[in-house]
Amino acid sequence: MSSQQWGRVDDDGTVYVRVPDGERAVGQYPEGTPEEALRFFTERYDALAFEVELLEKRIQSGVLSPEEAAASVRTVQTQVTEANAVGDLAALTARLEALGPVIETQREARKAERAQRSAESRASKERIVAEAEKLAEGSDWRNGANRMRELLDEWKALPRIDRSSDDALWRRFSTARTAYTRRRKAHFAEQHEKRDAARVIKERLAAEAEELASSTEWGPTAGRYRDLMRQWKAAGPAPRDVDDALWKRFRGAQDAFFGARDAAAAEQDQEFAANAEVKERLLEEAEALVPVTDLEAAKRTFRDIAERWDAAGKVPRDRMKELEGRIRKVEQEIRGVEDEQWRRSDPEKSARADDMVSKLEAAIAQVEADLDKARAAGNERKVKELEDNLASRQMFLETAKRASADFSG
């Protein structure tokens, strides 16, 4: 539509714009023609229409909050209502009014989004508080501290919810953090005291270990080192900056002692190697006594071997078990034969066996006499009974005679 449709210029240069209820003057342009005057005020309208179009796009894109959008619409509506321009001002007003439902829809959508974010924030904060309270009851002092810091960062990144709920959850979270921090500090203070006490103990142990390092009392000193090691382990860790240094002192002294002991033992073992050769020859003599055929001769020979065995002296440590085991085996063989002979010739047992034989023989004689009488009398039942009795007693008699023969040799 042409500019003449929306405005006119009177003879004195006054320009009017047509509005729904008539027309109103928007200004004067006395220096130019009516066409130039209308064009000037139409360009003003075009600029205003561009501003309305730009606002529509911004609102529809959602870059403005509903409050910002409503304020902008009100501002532009005033500009349109009071505009000194020629054009369809009513259409611009209608376009601005049409933005009202759009803004309301956005307002409701944002309200729903805020409600959802608030619900999500509440759930996240309740989770954070629950985890913090659980950490506060535990004793994970290293990882727990890191996790508490992470939870605090998570809390700060979350939006606030309603004030009363947010404050209540924060108090719980803060209380849990404070309780955990206090318990953690108390724990490390206690650990520090224990480490200081351990340092004192380990300094004493290291000093004693160093004093013992030059000892040549191999057995007692080795035992004392074992005691010191038990005390060292029981003392627990000292402060890290001194624990390693103290251990190096303790271990160094211990290694020096046991190294010297092993060297002395190796030298001694070399000296004792000749003794082992002597004992090997003695073992050949001793083992030749087995199996034992003449007990008394074997005992005499073994006593002589045992005297020479003791006189031969010590042997290397790695041979002791083997050599002692072999000589003890021969000794046990001889003792076993001796014990068996004693068992078989025990006078008391032999007498009891002989007495049993005598009693059984007397009883059998009586049963045989009774059997002869029963046969003479023709008492078959009695005969059968006595025959069974006689067979049983004769079997016991044979057993008793064998036992008596064993004890009598």
Side-chain angles (χ1 to χ4, degrees):
M1 295 182 182
S2 66
S3 57
Q4 288 85 357
Q5 179 182 359
W6 299 108
R8 69 178 180 83
V9 182
D10 64 9
D11 295 339
D12 63 359
T14 300
V15 181
Y16 294 89
V17 63
R18 294 186 177 89
V19 292
D21 56 353
E23 65 178 14
R24 65 177 174 83
V26 294
Q28 286 187 322
Y29 198 87
E31 302 299 330
T33 63
E35 290 75 13
E36 290 174 339
L38 285 175
R39 186 165 54 253
F40 174 77
F41 285 98
T42 299
E43 289 175 354
R44 284 189 174 183
Y45 174 84
D46 291 340
L48 192 58
F50 177 76
E51 187 173 349
V52 170
E53 182 181 0
L54 183 61
L55 180 60
E56 287 175 327
K57 290 180 179 179
R58 294 184 69 199
I59 290 175
Q60 289 167 354
S61 69
V63 297
L64 296 176
S65 69
E67 291 71 22
E68 291 172 332
S72 296
V73 167
R74 287 193 298 271
T75 299
V76 177
Q77 279 179 331
T78 301
Q79 292 174 354
V80 170
T81 302
E82 300 174 354
N84 292 323
V86 173
D88 192 354
L89 295 176
L92 294 182
T93 299
R95 288 169 63 183
L96 290 170
E97 290 175 350
L99 292 174
V102 175
I103 295 172
E104 188 60 30
T105 299
Q106 291 179 346
R107 182 177 283 110
E108 292 300 321
R110 294 218 177 184
K111 182 178 179 181
E113 289 175 5
R114 284 197 300 272
Q116 182 177 352
R117 286 197 301 271
S118 179
E120 291 172 352
S121 180
R122 178 188 294 273
S124 296
K125 289 187 174 182
E126 288 175 347
R127 173 186 58 78
I128 289 171
V129 169
E131 185 175 349
E133 289 174 339
K134 185 176 181 180
L135 285 173
E137 294 174 357
S139 55
D140 186 354
W141 307 122
R142 190 171 306 278
N143 296 325
N146 294 333
R147 185 55 184 155
M148 279 290 191
R149 284 191 289 271
E150 291 172 358
L151 292 176
L152 179 59
D153 291 339
E154 289 182 36
W155 181 284
K156 291 178 178 178
L158 292 171
R160 285 181 62 86
I161 56 178
D162 65 277
R163 180 182 295 274
S164 60
S165 298
D166 204 84
D167 289 347
L169 287 171
W170 172 254
R171 282 194 296 272
R172 287 175 56 191
F173 182 42
S174 180
T175 299
R177 290 175 60 232
T178 301
Y180 175 82
T181 301
R182 286 175 179 170
R183 291 183 59 233
R184 183 172 181 270
K185 287 181 178 178
H187 166 77
F188 283 111
E190 181 181 355
Q191 289 296 102
H192 182 71
E193 291 180 4
K194 288 181 178 179
R195 288 176 186 273
D196 276 347
R199 176 182 55 78
V200 173
I201 293 172
K202 288 185 172 182
E203 285 175 346
R204 174 181 58 78
L205 294 175
E208 184 174 350
E210 289 168 339
E211 290 177 3
L212 292 172
S214 59
S215 172
T216 56
E217 295 182 2
W218 309 122
T221 306
R224 183 55 185 162
Y225 268 117
R226 285 192 292 272
D227 293 340
L228 295 180
M229 178 61 78
R230 282 193 292 270
Q231 294 177 40
W232 184 280
K233 292 178 179 179
R240 185 173 299 176
D241 57 341
V242 299
D243 203 53
D244 290 345
L246 288 172
W247 171 249
K248 286 180 182 177
R249 287 176 55 194
F250 182 85
R251 187 69 179 182
Q254 186 174 248
D255 289 346
F257 167 78
F258 284 104
R261 188 194 68 170
D262 291 344
E267 183 179 352
Q268 198 173 57
D269 284 349
Q270 190 173 2
E271 295 175 2
F272 292 162
N275 298 346
E277 293 178 3
V278 173
K279 289 193 173 183
E280 283 180 344
R281 290 193 293 271
L282 291 173
L283 276 170
E284 291 175 4
E285 292 183 44
E287 289 170 345
L289 298 174
V290 179
V292 178
T293 55
D294 184 339
L295 178 61
E296 292 304 320
K299 287 167 63 177
R300 285 194 301 273
T301 302
F302 187 79
R303 279 195 295 271
D304 176 63
I305 292 172
E307 289 175 0
R308 286 183 286 155
W309 180 278
D310 292 339
K314 295 181 179 180
V315 298
R317 287 177 300 172
D318 60 349
R319 300 293 310 281
M320 287 176 61
K321 185 175 181 180
E322 169 212 347
L323 297 174
E324 289 294 331
R326 287 171 63 187
I327 196 69
R328 293 285 80 79
K329 185 175 180 181
V330 173
E331 183 180 21
Q332 289 167 3
E333 287 284 344
I334 295 172
R335 183 173 296 147
V337 172
E338 184 178 26
D339 291 345
E340 177 62 19
Q341 284 198 6
W342 168 253
R343 185 188 66 78
R344 291 166 62 87
S345 61
D346 186 341
E348 183 177 345
K349 291 182 179 178
S350 178
R352 286 200 301 271
D354 292 343
D355 183 57
M356 178 63 72
V357 170
S358 299
K359 289 180 178 178
L360 283 171
E361 287 176 341
I364 288 171
Q366 182 61 50
V367 172
E368 287 175 339
D370 292 341
L371 181 59
D372 289 340
K373 291 179 182 178
R375 286 171 176 165
N379 188 342
E380 293 299 327
R381 186 181 65 78
K382 188 67 174 176
V383 168
K384 181 66 172 62
E385 180 183 324
L386 290 171
E387 285 177 344
D388 291 343
N389 189 312
L390 180 62
S392 177
R393 290 178 183 271
Q394 286 174 337
M395 181 180 68
F396 280 123
L397 177 61
E398 290 302 318
T399 301
K401 284 181 177 180
R402 285 197 297 272
S404 178
D406 287 342
F407 287 124
S408 63

